[in-house]
PDB file of all heavy atoms in Angstrom:
ATOM      1  N   ALA A   1       2.500 -19.879 -12.329  1.00  0.00           N
ATOM      2  CA  ALA A   1       2.250 -18.874 -11.189  1.00  0.00           C
ATOM      3  C   ALA A   1       0.749 -18.452 -11.212  1.00  0.00           C
ATOM      4  O   ALA A   1       0.184 -18.355 -10.218  1.00  0.00           O
ATOM      5  CB  ALA A   1       3.197 -17.714 -11.264  1.00  0.00           C
ATOM      6  N   VAL A   2       0.271 -18.181 -12.414  1.00  0.00           N
ATOM      7  CA  VAL A   2      -1.129 -17.759 -12.504  1.00  0.00           C
ATOM      8  C   VAL A   2      -2.036 -18.858 -12.128  1.00  0.00           C
ATOM      9  O   VAL A   2      -3.078 -18.674 -11.422  1.00  0.00           O
ATOM     10  CB  VAL A   2      -1.400 -17.275 -13.914  1.00  0.00           C
ATOM     11  CG1 VAL A   2      -2.918 -17.037 -14.146  1.00  0.00           C
ATOM     12  CG2 VAL A   2      -0.623 -15.991 -14.317  1.00  0.00           C
ATOM     13  N   LEU A   3      -1.736 -20.037 -12.537  1.00  0.00           N
ATOM     14  CA  LEU A   3      -2.569 -21.294 -12.251  1.00  0.00           C
ATOM     15  C   LEU A   3      -2.451 -21.555 -10.715  1.00  0.00           C
ATOM     16  O   LEU A   3      -3.558 -21.742 -10.113  1.00  0.00           O
ATOM     17  CB  LEU A   3      -2.041 -22.538 -13.037  1.00  0.00           C
ATOM     18  CG  LEU A   3      -2.675 -23.820 -12.608  1.00  0.00           C
ATOM     19  CD1 LEU A   3      -4.221 -23.791 -12.962  1.00  0.00           C
ATOM     20  CD2 LEU A   3      -2.060 -24.934 -13.320  1.00  0.00           C
ATOM     21  N   ARG A   4      -1.316 -21.462 -10.098  1.00  0.00           N
ATOM     22  CA  ARG A   4      -1.130 -21.710  -8.742  1.00  0.00           C
ATOM     23  C   ARG A   4      -1.935 -20.679  -7.908  1.00  0.00           C
ATOM     24  O   ARG A   4      -2.652 -21.076  -6.917  1.00  0.00           O
ATOM     25  CB  ARG A   4       0.353 -21.585  -8.357  1.00  0.00           C
ATOM     26  CG  ARG A   4       0.597 -21.767  -6.849  1.00  0.00           C
ATOM     27  CD  ARG A   4       2.097 -21.640  -6.540  1.00  0.00           C
ATOM     28  NE  ARG A   4       2.822 -22.666  -7.046  1.00  0.00           N
ATOM     29  CZ  ARG A   4       3.051 -23.879  -6.404  1.00  0.00           C
ATOM     30  NH1 ARG A   4       2.592 -24.073  -5.239  1.00  0.00           N
ATOM     31  NH2 ARG A   4       3.762 -24.800  -6.993  1.00  0.00           N
ATOM     32  N   GLU A   5      -1.911 -19.387  -8.264  1.00  0.00           N
ATOM     33  CA  GLU A   5      -2.601 -18.361  -7.522  1.00  0.00           C
ATOM     34  C   GLU A   5      -4.167 -18.564  -7.629  1.00  0.00           C
ATOM     35  O   GLU A   5      -4.850 -18.522  -6.610  1.00  0.00           O
ATOM     36  CB  GLU A   5      -2.286 -16.985  -8.041  1.00  0.00           C
ATOM     37  CG  GLU A   5      -2.776 -15.848  -7.244  1.00  0.00           C
ATOM     38  CD  GLU A   5      -4.244 -15.482  -7.486  1.00  0.00           C
ATOM     39  OE1 GLU A   5      -4.716 -15.603  -8.609  1.00  0.00           O
ATOM     40  OE2 GLU A   5      -4.882 -14.977  -6.487  1.00  0.00           O
ATOM     41  N   ALA A   6      -4.571 -18.947  -8.837  1.00  0.00           N
ATOM     42  CA  ALA A   6      -6.051 -19.248  -8.999  1.00  0.00           C
ATOM     43  C   ALA A   6      -6.430 -20.410  -8.191  1.00  0.00           C
ATOM     44  O   ALA A   6      -7.600 -20.395  -7.574  1.00  0.00           O
ATOM     45  CB  ALA A   6      -6.415 -19.392 -10.483  1.00  0.00           C
ATOM     46  N   THR A   7      -5.769 -21.515  -8.198  1.00  0.00           N
ATOM     47  CA  THR A   7      -6.061 -22.692  -7.467  1.00  0.00           C
ATOM     48  C   THR A   7      -6.023 -22.343  -5.979  1.00  0.00           C
ATOM     49  O   THR A   7      -6.891 -22.860  -5.270  1.00  0.00           O
ATOM     50  CB  THR A   7      -5.059 -23.806  -7.809  1.00  0.00           C
ATOM     51  OG1 THR A   7      -5.038 -24.044  -9.172  1.00  0.00           O
ATOM     52  CG2 THR A   7      -5.409 -25.107  -7.027  1.00  0.00           C
ATOM     53  N   GLN A   8      -5.069 -21.646  -5.517  1.00  0.00           N
ATOM     54  CA  GLN A   8      -4.965 -21.336  -4.123  1.00  0.00           C
ATOM     55  C   GLN A   8      -6.207 -20.543  -3.673  1.00  0.00           C
ATOM     56  O   GLN A   8      -6.811 -20.741  -2.595  1.00  0.00           O
ATOM     57  CB  GLN A   8      -3.678 -20.645  -3.810  1.00  0.00           C
ATOM     58  CG  GLN A   8      -2.437 -21.444  -3.855  1.00  0.00           C
ATOM     59  CD  GLN A   8      -1.132 -20.651  -3.709  1.00  0.00           C
ATOM     60  OE1 GLN A   8      -1.127 -19.482  -4.099  1.00  0.00           O
ATOM     61  NE2 GLN A   8      -0.087 -21.349  -3.297  1.00  0.00           N
ATOM     62  N   GLU A   9      -6.589 -19.622  -4.510  1.00  0.00           N
ATOM     63  CA  GLU A   9      -7.740 -18.713  -4.119  1.00  0.00           C
ATOM     64  C   GLU A   9      -9.020 -19.563  -4.186  1.00  0.00           C
ATOM     65  O   GLU A   9      -9.871 -19.382  -3.240  1.00  0.00           O
ATOM     66  CB  GLU A   9      -7.876 -17.588  -5.164  1.00  0.00           C
ATOM     67  CG  GLU A   9      -8.734 -16.489  -4.794  1.00  0.00           C
ATOM     68  CD  GLU A   9      -8.366 -15.768  -3.498  1.00  0.00           C
ATOM     69  OE1 GLU A   9      -7.121 -15.602  -3.263  1.00  0.00           O
ATOM     70  OE2 GLU A   9      -9.221 -15.455  -2.654  1.00  0.00           O
ATOM     71  N   ILE A  10      -9.223 -20.491  -5.038  1.00  0.00           N
ATOM     72  CA  ILE A  10     -10.463 -21.344  -5.013  1.00  0.00           C
ATOM     73  C   ILE A  10     -10.445 -22.216  -3.745  1.00  0.00           C
ATOM     74  O   ILE A  10     -11.455 -22.370  -3.005  1.00  0.00           O
ATOM     75  CB  ILE A  10     -10.434 -22.304  -6.268  1.00  0.00           C
ATOM     76  CG1 ILE A  10     -10.728 -21.340  -7.542  1.00  0.00           C
ATOM     77  CG2 ILE A  10     -11.519 -23.384  -6.184  1.00  0.00           C
ATOM     78  CD1 ILE A  10     -10.456 -22.133  -8.805  1.00  0.00           C
ATOM     79  N   GLU A  11      -9.320 -22.846  -3.439  1.00  0.00           N
ATOM     80  CA  GLU A  11      -9.236 -23.618  -2.262  1.00  0.00           C
ATOM     81  C   GLU A  11      -9.414 -22.916  -1.044  1.00  0.00           C
ATOM     82  O   GLU A  11     -10.106 -23.360  -0.053  1.00  0.00           O
ATOM     83  CB  GLU A  11      -7.815 -24.367  -2.189  1.00  0.00           C
ATOM     84  CG  GLU A  11      -7.595 -25.507  -3.163  1.00  0.00           C
ATOM     85  CD  GLU A  11      -8.570 -26.695  -3.005  1.00  0.00           C
ATOM     86  OE1 GLU A  11      -8.358 -27.254  -1.828  1.00  0.00           O
ATOM     87  OE2 GLU A  11      -9.268 -27.072  -3.866  1.00  0.00           O
ATOM     88  N   LEU A  12      -8.948 -21.663  -0.897  1.00  0.00           N
ATOM     89  CA  LEU A  12      -9.150 -20.840   0.244  1.00  0.00           C
ATOM     90  C   LEU A  12     -10.605 -20.540   0.363  1.00  0.00           C
ATOM     91  O   LEU A  12     -11.125 -20.389   1.493  1.00  0.00           O
ATOM     92  CB  LEU A  12      -8.293 -19.619   0.228  1.00  0.00           C
ATOM     93  CG  LEU A  12      -8.335 -18.617   1.367  1.00  0.00           C
ATOM     94  CD1 LEU A  12      -7.856 -19.310   2.633  1.00  0.00           C
ATOM     95  CD2 LEU A  12      -7.459 -17.389   1.207  1.00  0.00           C
ATOM     96  N   SER A  13     -11.257 -20.260  -0.729  1.00  0.00           N
ATOM     97  CA  SER A  13     -12.663 -19.881  -0.659  1.00  0.00           C
ATOM     98  C   SER A  13     -13.479 -21.063  -0.130  1.00  0.00           C
ATOM     99  O   SER A  13     -14.416 -20.816   0.665  1.00  0.00           O
ATOM    100  CB  SER A  13     -13.180 -19.491  -2.101  1.00  0.00           C
ATOM    101  OG  SER A  13     -14.513 -19.314  -2.135  1.00  0.00           O
ATOM    102  N   ILE A  14     -13.184 -22.273  -0.515  1.00  0.00           N
ATOM    103  CA  ILE A  14     -13.832 -23.432  -0.013  1.00  0.00           C
ATOM    104  C   ILE A  14     -13.526 -23.625   1.548  1.00  0.00           C
ATOM    105  O   ILE A  14     -14.498 -23.817   2.266  1.00  0.00           O
ATOM    106  CB  ILE A  14     -13.415 -24.737  -0.811  1.00  0.00           C
ATOM    107  CG1 ILE A  14     -13.879 -24.585  -2.239  1.00  0.00           C
ATOM    108  CG2 ILE A  14     -13.981 -25.900  -0.087  1.00  0.00           C
ATOM    109  CD1 ILE A  14     -13.275 -25.760  -3.126  1.00  0.00           C
ATOM    110  N   LEU A  15     -12.318 -23.429   1.855  1.00  0.00           N
ATOM    111  CA  LEU A  15     -12.003 -23.509   3.246  1.00  0.00           C
ATOM    112  C   LEU A  15     -12.630 -22.433   4.115  1.00  0.00           C
ATOM    113  O   LEU A  15     -13.086 -22.742   5.208  1.00  0.00           O
ATOM    114  CB  LEU A  15     -10.404 -23.372   3.401  1.00  0.00           C
ATOM    115  CG  LEU A  15      -9.767 -23.885   4.703  1.00  0.00           C
ATOM    116  CD1 LEU A  15     -10.120 -25.346   4.876  1.00  0.00           C
ATOM    117  CD2 LEU A  15      -8.374 -23.575   4.751  1.00  0.00           C
ATOM    118  N   ARG A  16     -12.755 -21.226   3.617  1.00  0.00           N
ATOM    119  CA  ARG A  16     -13.477 -20.194   4.323  1.00  0.00           C
ATOM    120  C   ARG A  16     -14.881 -20.645   4.684  1.00  0.00           C
ATOM    121  O   ARG A  16     -15.398 -20.489   5.807  1.00  0.00           O
ATOM    122  CB  ARG A  16     -13.518 -18.934   3.519  1.00  0.00           C
ATOM    123  CG  ARG A  16     -12.282 -18.081   3.505  1.00  0.00           C
ATOM    124  CD  ARG A  16     -12.534 -16.765   2.808  1.00  0.00           C
ATOM    125  NE  ARG A  16     -11.445 -15.810   3.143  1.00  0.00           N
ATOM    126  CZ  ARG A  16     -10.530 -15.461   2.120  1.00  0.00           C
ATOM    127  NH1 ARG A  16     -10.629 -15.994   0.851  1.00  0.00           N
ATOM    128  NH2 ARG A  16      -9.546 -14.589   2.389  1.00  0.00           N
ATOM    129  N   LYS A  17     -15.609 -21.229   3.676  1.00  0.00           N
ATOM    130  CA  LYS A  17     -16.986 -21.584   3.827  1.00  0.00           C
ATOM    131  C   LYS A  17     -17.077 -22.681   4.942  1.00  0.00           C
ATOM    132  O   LYS A  17     -17.973 -22.713   5.792  1.00  0.00           O
ATOM    133  CB  LYS A  17     -17.596 -22.070   2.519  1.00  0.00           C
ATOM    134  CG  LYS A  17     -17.714 -20.904   1.457  1.00  0.00           C
ATOM    135  CD  LYS A  17     -18.332 -21.402   0.150  1.00  0.00           C
ATOM    136  CE  LYS A  17     -18.462 -20.327  -0.805  1.00  0.00           C
ATOM    137  NZ  LYS A  17     -18.932 -20.819  -2.124  1.00  0.00           N
ATOM    138  N   LYS A  18     -16.182 -23.630   4.792  1.00  0.00           N
ATOM    139  CA  LYS A  18     -16.253 -24.823   5.757  1.00  0.00           C
ATOM    140  C   LYS A  18     -15.943 -24.318   7.178  1.00  0.00           C
ATOM    141  O   LYS A  18     -16.521 -24.830   8.111  1.00  0.00           O
ATOM    142  CB  LYS A  18     -15.282 -25.949   5.258  1.00  0.00           C
ATOM    143  CG  LYS A  18     -15.754 -26.598   4.066  1.00  0.00           C
ATOM    144  CD  LYS A  18     -14.873 -27.750   3.641  1.00  0.00           C
ATOM    145  CE  LYS A  18     -15.549 -28.562   2.436  1.00  0.00           C
ATOM    146  NZ  LYS A  18     -16.790 -29.120   2.648  1.00  0.00           N
ATOM    147  N   PHE A  19     -14.851 -23.524   7.330  1.00  0.00           N
ATOM    148  CA  PHE A  19     -14.552 -23.090   8.691  1.00  0.00           C
ATOM    149  C   PHE A  19     -15.660 -22.197   9.252  1.00  0.00           C
ATOM    150  O   PHE A  19     -15.937 -22.279  10.482  1.00  0.00           O
ATOM    151  CB  PHE A  19     -13.181 -22.243   8.653  1.00  0.00           C
ATOM    152  CG  PHE A  19     -11.953 -23.105   8.675  1.00  0.00           C
ATOM    153  CD1 PHE A  19     -11.989 -24.414   8.322  1.00  0.00           C
ATOM    154  CD2 PHE A  19     -10.714 -22.522   9.072  1.00  0.00           C
ATOM    155  CE1 PHE A  19     -10.920 -25.247   8.428  1.00  0.00           C
ATOM    156  CE2 PHE A  19      -9.582 -23.395   9.068  1.00  0.00           C
ATOM    157  CZ  PHE A  19      -9.680 -24.668   8.735  1.00  0.00           C
ATOM    158  N   ASN A  20     -16.255 -21.377   8.420  1.00  0.00           N
ATOM    159  CA  ASN A  20     -17.383 -20.530   8.918  1.00  0.00           C
ATOM    160  C   ASN A  20     -18.604 -21.405   9.291  1.00  0.00           C
ATOM    161  O   ASN A  20     -19.221 -21.164  10.316  1.00  0.00           O
ATOM    162  CB  ASN A  20     -17.818 -19.462   7.809  1.00  0.00           C
ATOM    163  CG  ASN A  20     -16.902 -18.223   7.875  1.00  0.00           C
ATOM    164  OD1 ASN A  20     -16.655 -17.712   8.889  1.00  0.00           O
ATOM    165  ND2 ASN A  20     -16.508 -17.769   6.726  1.00  0.00           N
ATOM    166  N   ALA A  21     -18.875 -22.407   8.491  1.00  0.00           N
ATOM    167  CA  ALA A  21     -19.972 -23.263   8.801  1.00  0.00           C
ATOM    168  C   ALA A  21     -19.752 -24.021  10.131  1.00  0.00           C
ATOM    169  O   ALA A  21     -20.751 -24.313  10.794  1.00  0.00           O
ATOM    170  CB  ALA A  21     -20.232 -24.243   7.646  1.00  0.00           C
ATOM    171  N   ALA A  22     -18.559 -24.402  10.352  1.00  0.00           N
ATOM    172  CA  ALA A  22     -18.214 -25.144  11.565  1.00  0.00           C
ATOM    173  C   ALA A  22     -17.967 -24.149  12.839  1.00  0.00           C
ATOM    174  O   ALA A  22     -17.823 -24.703  13.897  1.00  0.00           O
ATOM    175  CB  ALA A  22     -16.972 -26.058  11.324  1.00  0.00           C
ATOM    176  N   GLY A  23     -17.977 -22.916  12.523  1.00  0.00           N
ATOM    177  CA  GLY A  23     -17.778 -21.945  13.591  1.00  0.00           C
ATOM    178  C   GLY A  23     -16.274 -21.986  14.183  1.00  0.00           C
ATOM    179  O   GLY A  23     -16.075 -21.812  15.378  1.00  0.00           O
ATOM    180  N   ILE A  24     -15.306 -22.190  13.323  1.00  0.00           N
ATOM    181  CA  ILE A  24     -13.900 -22.264  13.703  1.00  0.00           C
ATOM    182  C   ILE A  24     -13.175 -20.980  13.336  1.00  0.00           C
ATOM    183  O   ILE A  24     -13.111 -20.559  12.198  1.00  0.00           O
ATOM    184  CB  ILE A  24     -13.145 -23.427  12.956  1.00  0.00           C
ATOM    185  CG1 ILE A  24     -13.832 -24.812  13.288  1.00  0.00           C
ATOM    186  CG2 ILE A  24     -11.721 -23.479  13.334  1.00  0.00           C
ATOM    187  CD1 ILE A  24     -13.365 -26.030  12.569  1.00  0.00           C
ATOM    188  N   ARG A  25     -12.668 -20.292  14.303  1.00  0.00           N
ATOM    189  CA  ARG A  25     -11.882 -19.060  14.092  1.00  0.00           C
ATOM    190  C   ARG A  25     -10.661 -19.401  13.195  1.00  0.00           C
ATOM    191  O   ARG A  25      -9.877 -20.327  13.490  1.00  0.00           O
ATOM    192  CB  ARG A  25     -11.416 -18.453  15.360  1.00  0.00           C
ATOM    193  CG  ARG A  25     -12.576 -17.800  16.207  1.00  0.00           C
ATOM    194  CD  ARG A  25     -11.954 -16.997  17.349  1.00  0.00           C
ATOM    195  NE  ARG A  25     -11.098 -17.827  18.102  1.00  0.00           N
ATOM    196  CZ  ARG A  25     -10.298 -17.343  19.098  1.00  0.00           C
ATOM    197  NH1 ARG A  25     -10.215 -16.008  19.330  1.00  0.00           N
ATOM    198  NH2 ARG A  25      -9.499 -18.152  19.819  1.00  0.00           N
ATOM    199  N   PHE A  26     -10.402 -18.472  12.238  1.00  0.00           N
ATOM    200  CA  PHE A  26      -9.180 -18.613  11.482  1.00  0.00           C
ATOM    201  C   PHE A  26      -8.664 -17.281  11.002  1.00  0.00           C
ATOM    202  O   PHE A  26      -9.476 -16.267  10.881  1.00  0.00           O
ATOM    203  CB  PHE A  26      -9.388 -19.561  10.354  1.00  0.00           C
ATOM    204  CG  PHE A  26     -10.383 -19.029   9.228  1.00  0.00           C
ATOM    205  CD1 PHE A  26      -9.896 -18.487   8.036  1.00  0.00           C
ATOM    206  CD2 PHE A  26     -11.760 -19.112   9.449  1.00  0.00           C
ATOM    207  CE1 PHE A  26     -10.771 -17.973   7.092  1.00  0.00           C
ATOM    208  CE2 PHE A  26     -12.677 -18.560   8.477  1.00  0.00           C
ATOM    209  CZ  PHE A  26     -12.134 -17.996   7.311  1.00  0.00           C
ATOM    210  N   MET A  27      -7.386 -17.152  10.634  1.00  0.00           N
ATOM    211  CA  MET A  27      -6.800 -15.956  10.234  1.00  0.00           C
ATOM    212  C   MET A  27      -5.789 -16.192   9.176  1.00  0.00           C
ATOM    213  O   MET A  27      -4.659 -16.689   9.479  1.00  0.00           O
ATOM    214  CB  MET A  27      -6.175 -15.237  11.439  1.00  0.00           C
ATOM    215  CG  MET A  27      -5.749 -13.876  11.250  1.00  0.00           C
ATOM    216  SD  MET A  27      -4.723 -13.107  12.604  1.00  0.00           S
ATOM    217  CE  MET A  27      -5.730 -13.533  14.029  1.00  0.00           C
ATOM    218  N   PRO A  28      -6.057 -15.843   7.890  1.00  0.00           N
ATOM    219  CA  PRO A  28      -5.045 -15.971   6.862  1.00  0.00           C
ATOM    220  C   PRO A  28      -3.905 -15.011   7.107  1.00  0.00           C
ATOM    221  O   PRO A  28      -3.984 -13.989   7.693  1.00  0.00           O
ATOM    222  CB  PRO A  28      -5.753 -15.485   5.632  1.00  0.00           C
ATOM    223  CG  PRO A  28      -7.201 -15.679   5.906  1.00  0.00           C
ATOM    224  CD  PRO A  28      -7.287 -15.417   7.369  1.00  0.00           C
ATOM    225  N   LEU A  29      -2.656 -15.594   6.786  1.00  0.00           N
ATOM    226  CA  LEU A  29      -1.420 -14.900   7.118  1.00  0.00           C
ATOM    227  C   LEU A  29      -0.607 -14.698   5.864  1.00  0.00           C
ATOM    228  O   LEU A  29      -0.849 -15.214   4.791  1.00  0.00           O
ATOM    229  CB  LEU A  29      -0.505 -15.772   8.078  1.00  0.00           C
ATOM    230  CG  LEU A  29      -1.227 -16.170   9.358  1.00  0.00           C
ATOM    231  CD1 LEU A  29      -0.320 -17.216  10.113  1.00  0.00           C
ATOM    232  CD2 LEU A  29      -1.484 -14.954  10.261  1.00  0.00           C
ATOM    233  N   LYS A  30       0.357 -13.810   6.044  1.00  0.00           N
ATOM    234  CA  LYS A  30       1.522 -13.594   4.994  1.00  0.00           C
ATOM    235  C   LYS A  30       1.056 -13.340   3.576  1.00  0.00           C
ATOM    236  O   LYS A  30       0.170 -12.526   3.296  1.00  0.00           O
ATOM    237  CB  LYS A  30       2.441 -14.791   5.127  1.00  0.00           C
ATOM    238  CG  LYS A  30       3.095 -14.909   6.507  1.00  0.00           C
ATOM    239  CD  LYS A  30       4.257 -15.924   6.599  1.00  0.00           C
ATOM    240  CE  LYS A  30       3.953 -17.285   6.317  1.00  0.00           C
ATOM    241  NZ  LYS A  30       4.987 -18.244   6.458  1.00  0.00           N
ATOM    242  N   GLY A  31       1.498 -14.102   2.620  1.00  0.00           N
ATOM    243  CA  GLY A  31       1.327 -13.903   1.261  1.00  0.00           C
ATOM    244  C   GLY A  31      -0.076 -13.804   0.718  1.00  0.00           C
ATOM    245  O   GLY A  31      -0.382 -13.074  -0.270  1.00  0.00           O
ATOM    246  N   ILE A  32      -0.999 -14.491   1.351  1.00  0.00           N
ATOM    247  CA  ILE A  32      -2.367 -14.541   0.894  1.00  0.00           C
ATOM    248  C   ILE A  32      -3.044 -13.215   1.005  1.00  0.00           C
ATOM    249  O   ILE A  32      -3.991 -12.882   0.297  1.00  0.00           O
ATOM    250  CB  ILE A  32      -3.147 -15.664   1.705  1.00  0.00           C
ATOM    251  CG1 ILE A  32      -4.381 -16.091   0.850  1.00  0.00           C
ATOM    252  CG2 ILE A  32      -3.478 -15.254   3.091  1.00  0.00           C
ATOM    253  CD1 ILE A  32      -4.164 -16.828  -0.400  1.00  0.00           C
ATOM    254  N   LEU A  33      -2.560 -12.388   1.955  1.00  0.00           N
ATOM    255  CA  LEU A  33      -2.991 -11.102   2.120  1.00  0.00           C
ATOM    256  C   LEU A  33      -2.206 -10.033   1.286  1.00  0.00           C
ATOM    257  O   LEU A  33      -2.667  -9.140   0.755  1.00  0.00           O
ATOM    258  CB  LEU A  33      -2.952 -10.649   3.569  1.00  0.00           C
ATOM    259  CG  LEU A  33      -3.859 -11.571   4.468  1.00  0.00           C
ATOM    260  CD1 LEU A  33      -3.704 -11.139   5.979  1.00  0.00           C
ATOM    261  CD2 LEU A  33      -5.376 -11.445   4.180  1.00  0.00           C
ATOM    262  N   LEU A  34      -0.896 -10.245   1.315  1.00  0.00           N
ATOM    263  CA  LEU A  34       0.041  -9.322   0.716  1.00  0.00           C
ATOM    264  C   LEU A  34      -0.133  -9.195  -0.721  1.00  0.00           C
ATOM    265  O   LEU A  34       0.115  -8.280  -1.414  1.00  0.00           O
ATOM    266  CB  LEU A  34       1.551  -9.690   1.091  1.00  0.00           C
ATOM    267  CG  LEU A  34       2.577  -8.786   0.700  1.00  0.00           C
ATOM    268  CD1 LEU A  34       2.421  -7.369   1.401  1.00  0.00           C
ATOM    269  CD2 LEU A  34       3.954  -9.322   1.094  1.00  0.00           C
ATOM    270  N   LYS A  35      -0.552 -10.390  -1.436  1.00  0.00           N
ATOM    271  CA  LYS A  35      -0.600 -10.335  -2.919  1.00  0.00           C
ATOM    272  C   LYS A  35      -1.595  -9.254  -3.418  1.00  0.00           C
ATOM    273  O   LYS A  35      -1.554  -8.890  -4.543  1.00  0.00           O
ATOM    274  CB  LYS A  35      -1.129 -11.744  -3.354  1.00  0.00           C
ATOM    275  CG  LYS A  35      -2.529 -12.137  -3.084  1.00  0.00           C
ATOM    276  CD  LYS A  35      -2.798 -13.532  -3.578  1.00  0.00           C
ATOM    277  CE  LYS A  35      -4.269 -13.867  -3.371  1.00  0.00           C
ATOM    278  NZ  LYS A  35      -4.653 -15.155  -4.019  1.00  0.00           N
ATOM    279  N   SER A  36      -2.601  -8.873  -2.503  1.00  0.00           N
ATOM    280  CA  SER A  36      -3.576  -7.830  -3.061  1.00  0.00           C
ATOM    281  C   SER A  36      -2.843  -6.489  -3.217  1.00  0.00           C
ATOM    282  O   SER A  36      -3.443  -5.638  -3.829  1.00  0.00           O
ATOM    283  CB  SER A  36      -4.693  -7.713  -2.042  1.00  0.00           C
ATOM    284  OG  SER A  36      -4.215  -7.224  -0.812  1.00  0.00           O
ATOM    285  N   HIS A  37      -1.699  -6.277  -2.700  1.00  0.00           N
ATOM    286  CA  HIS A  37      -1.014  -5.048  -2.818  1.00  0.00           C
ATOM    287  C   HIS A  37       0.032  -5.063  -3.949  1.00  0.00           C
ATOM    288  O   HIS A  37       0.645  -4.053  -4.225  1.00  0.00           O
ATOM    289  CB  HIS A  37      -0.195  -4.727  -1.473  1.00  0.00           C
ATOM    290  CG  HIS A  37      -1.142  -4.498  -0.296  1.00  0.00           C
ATOM    291  ND1 HIS A  37      -2.119  -3.564  -0.323  1.00  0.00           N
ATOM    292  CD2 HIS A  37      -1.189  -5.168   0.872  1.00  0.00           C
ATOM    293  CE1 HIS A  37      -2.766  -3.596   0.871  1.00  0.00           C
ATOM    294  NE2 HIS A  37      -2.181  -4.513   1.542  1.00  0.00           N
ATOM    295  N   TYR A  38       0.163  -6.195  -4.679  1.00  0.00           N
ATOM    296  CA  TYR A  38       0.940  -6.218  -5.892  1.00  0.00           C
ATOM    297  C   TYR A  38       0.094  -5.789  -7.119  1.00  0.00           C
ATOM    298  O   TYR A  38      -1.164  -5.944  -6.995  1.00  0.00           O
ATOM    299  CB  TYR A  38       1.448  -7.632  -6.109  1.00  0.00           C
ATOM    300  CG  TYR A  38       2.755  -8.015  -5.317  1.00  0.00           C
ATOM    301  CD1 TYR A  38       2.735  -8.152  -3.950  1.00  0.00           C
ATOM    302  CD2 TYR A  38       3.972  -8.171  -5.883  1.00  0.00           C
ATOM    303  CE1 TYR A  38       3.814  -8.450  -3.219  1.00  0.00           C
ATOM    304  CE2 TYR A  38       5.123  -8.478  -5.142  1.00  0.00           C
ATOM    305  CZ  TYR A  38       5.019  -8.593  -3.856  1.00  0.00           C
ATOM    306  OH  TYR A  38       6.103  -8.942  -3.081  1.00  0.00           O
TER     307      TYR A  38
END
């Protein structure tokens, strides 16, 4: 679970940079936001 969360966070970070560079609107949903409240 720790490895999965770390990998997901790294991949999301890369995706954020690519979407921002391309000017594509995006909105993370559900667990990716909720986990910060655990």
Side-chain angles (χ1 to χ4, degrees):
V2 172
L3 174 62
R4 177 182 291 272
E5 190 277 328
T7 303
Q8 289 173 334
E9 195 59 42
I10 291 170
E11 289 290 304
L12 181 59
S13 176
I14 296 171
L15 196 62
R16 279 189 170 109
K17 292 179 182 178
K18 290 186 177 294
F19 276 19
N20 276 317
I24 299 172
R25 288 188 307 170
F26 67 101
M27 190 188 309
L29 306 170
K30 299 192 297 188
I32 201 68
L33 300 176
L34 190 59
K35 69 178 185 177
S36 65
H37 296 302
Y38 278 70

